[in-house]
Amino acid sequence: MGTVVDAPAVVAEEATENTLGGKKVTVVFVLGGPGSGKGTQCANIVEHFGFTHLSAGDLLRAEIKSGSENGTMIENMIKEGKIVPSEVTIKLLQDAMIKNENDKFLIDGFPRNEENRAAFENVTKISPAFVLFFECSEEEMERRLLGRNQGRVDDNIETIKKRFKTFVESSLPVIEYYSSKGKVKKIDAAKPIPEVFEDVKTIFSPYAPKLLFGAPSSGDHIHIIYAYPSRSSLFSKLVGMWGRCEPVSKHSIRHASSEHTGHWSCRRAPARPPRARRLNTRSAHAHRRPEKMTAVHTLRPQELFLPVEASSWAVRSRIG
Ligand SMILES: Nc1ncnc2c1ncn2[C@@H]1O[C@H](COP(=O)(O)OP(=O)(O)O)[C@@H](O)[C@H]1O
Ligand SMILES: Nc1ccn([C@@H]2O[C@H](COP(=O)(O)OP(=O)(O)O)[C@@H](O)[C@H]2O)c(=O)n1
């Protein structure tokens, strides 16, 4: 496959001027051949770094299912391993980004050709912070696709060969383009999934949640100061740690650079199935009952800005 030079340290927040629907967004393009493991690693990145995953292929397949007027055209293109016209895919991506309250997006499987790339930049005025490129041999990708078992119309050997051809002819030039701009972060995707994620984690370390201060107090309460990619991802983390967690008070939320920095007090709630949606909505705060409010830990200056990753902190304080 073509040669792509590793980028020097890409500044994570390079795309600082990118705005969409009034919000500043960070976009990372995730590229690689079919079956190189893009979707698999995107799921890991979402969990650890608070990004929202938008798969161009998934959006196109959802469009087919929705009975849209473009459905038949999209389905035929996918069966042939061809690339759907940019305006269709860009509209789906743009709508998904605007609808989502997050501001950090992994765009997986896009741009797949020069037309995709140029049109996206023209229409959205967004340029990616960097491009994550999963490099893998065709032999290995073929093995993975044939074992994927997701009932996809294109995971058959005939279409797989066409997709490989499209990737080499149309998608690699896009990677070369971003490589020439020093934006490509190349990953050896032939390794086992956990090892690939170790490399991915290194690249995404600038986006790691930083729990600036966390102090378990009496009972089932905890007080935290955090800098996290988004509030909703903080809650996802707490839900993961506790089974269910409710924000019960909010103090001086302020926006510092691209992070939400704030002081929250959270209360461990009785065991019930996670209700992530409620945690992410404004109404969750509106329904707070005063008796649930907890005293906010008084911080000494030296306690501030103590960088502790949420996961290690959870182990240290034996919560979870
Ligand atoms: N590093 C890996 N080693 C072995 N199998 C993998 C690896 N990464 C992903 N897979 C498997 O290969 C298949 C294709 O992965 P997927 O993430 O769907 O690829 P893509 O999104 O690039 O098409 C899936 O069945 C997945 O479980
Ligand atoms: N930007 C894109 C992404 C996907 N697609 C179509 O969707 C198919 C599946 O893409 P995908 O990203 O879900 O899957 P992989 O081929 O990476 O496994 C591609 O082969 C294309 O036919 C497209 O036309 N344009």
Side-chain angles (χ1 to χ4, degrees):
M1 240 164 242
T3 51
V4 174
V5 181
D6 263 336
V10 173
V11 181
E13 289 301 331
E14 198 231 84
T16 47
E17 298 309 315
N18 293 340
T19 56
L20 190 73
K23 67 179 168 184
K24 199 176 91 180
V25 295
T26 298
V27 164
V28 173
F29 288 147
V30 182
L31 299 176
S36 57
K38 301 182 294 295
T40 303
Q41 296 300 331
C42 281
N44 286 334
I45 299 166
V46 166
E47 193 190 329
H48 287 78
F49 298 100
F51 276 69
T52 290
H53 175 209
L54 298 178
S55 155
D58 285 351
L59 289 169
L60 291 167
R61 283 183 285 274
E63 190 69 358
I64 298 171
K65 273 207 185 130
S66 76
S68 120
E69 56 177 338
N70 286 322
T72 310
M73 178 275 289
I74 297 171
E75 190 165 22
N76 289 335
M77 300 294 266
I78 288 180
K79 278 184 189 153
E80 285 304 308
K82 291 184 180 159
I83 297 167
V84 172
S86 298
E87 62 267 24
V88 174
T89 319
I90 290 170
K91 171 95 172 65
L92 294 171
L93 288 168
Q94 210 177 9
D95 288 353
M97 281 194 281
I98 291 170
K99 253 191 258 160
N100 196 297
E101 69 173 24
N102 202 349
D103 56 5
K104 290 182 167 57
F105 296 96
L106 297 169
I107 300 196
D108 160 10
F110 184 97
R112 250 183 160 90
N113 61 9
E114 273 297 301
E115 189 215 0
N116 271 182
R117 183 195 65 71
F120 184 83
E121 281 180 17
N122 284 337
V123 171
T124 65
K125 311 289 178 216
I126 292 172
S127 63
F130 62 92
V131 175
L132 192 61
F133 170 45
F134 290 100
E135 194 178 49
C136 194
S137 69
E138 285 191 2
E139 195 187 25
E140 174 64 14
M141 292 192 291
E142 182 182 310
R143 200 174 12 248
R144 292 181 189 175
L145 291 173
L146 291 174
R148 182 152 61 177
N149 285 329
Q150 287 178 353
R152 279 177 47 168
V153 293
D154 54 349
D155 280 350
N156 58 76
I157 191 64
E158 197 188 331
T159 311
I160 287 171
K161 296 286 180 204
K162 291 178 182 168
R163 287 155 73 196
F164 286 162
K165 189 165 183 290
T166 303
F167 177 71
V168 171
E169 289 175 358
S170 305
S171 307
L172 273 182
V174 174
I175 294 158
E176 294 290 349
Y177 169 87
Y178 284 119
S179 186
S180 73
K181 299 201 165 294
K183 284 201 169 188
V184 173
K185 295 284 202 179
K186 188 169 69 174
I187 296 276
D188 176 2
K191 295 195 280 190
I193 294 172
E195 289 179 32
V196 176
F197 188 53
E198 283 307 307
D199 295 344
V200 168
K201 270 205 285 200
T202 306
I203 290 171
F204 277 81
S205 56
Y207 298 101
K210 292 186 277 295
L211 193 68
L212 302 179
F213 177 79
S217 68
S218 60
D220 54 6
H221 292 81
I222 176 177
H223 308 295
I224 54 173
I225 295 253
Y226 72 94
Y228 213 80
S230 70
R231 278 185 230 164
S232 56
S233 47
L234 172 78
F235 293 140
S236 315
K237 190 79 193 177
L238 291 172
V239 167
M241 280 157 48
W242 283 0
R244 181 163 182 269
C245 165
E246 265 184 324
V248 294
S249 66
K250 184 175 78 170
H251 304 268
S252 64
I253 290 290
R254 73 188 163 84
H255 297 265
S257 68
S258 64
E259 292 171 329
H260 295 276
T261 304
H263 190 166
W264 287 76
S265 178
C266 290
R267 169 184 179 276
R268 186 178 189 169
R272 267 203 272 153
R275 295 172 62 190
R277 190 173 149 65
R278 184 179 161 205
L279 295 176
N280 292 343
T281 59
R282 283 177 193 282
S283 63
H285 311 310
H287 290 128
R288 283 198 312 264
R289 294 202 308 269
E291 64 270 25
K292 283 187 184 169
M293 298 285 280
T294 59
V296 173
H297 189 92
T298 309
L299 288 164
R300 295 189 302 274
Q302 65 269 32
E303 289 177 319
L304 283 165
F305 308 112
L306 173 71
V308 185
E309 219 190 296
S311 50
S312 58
W313 163 79
V315 171
R316 237 184 32 174
S317 58
R318 296 184 185 286
I319 288 184

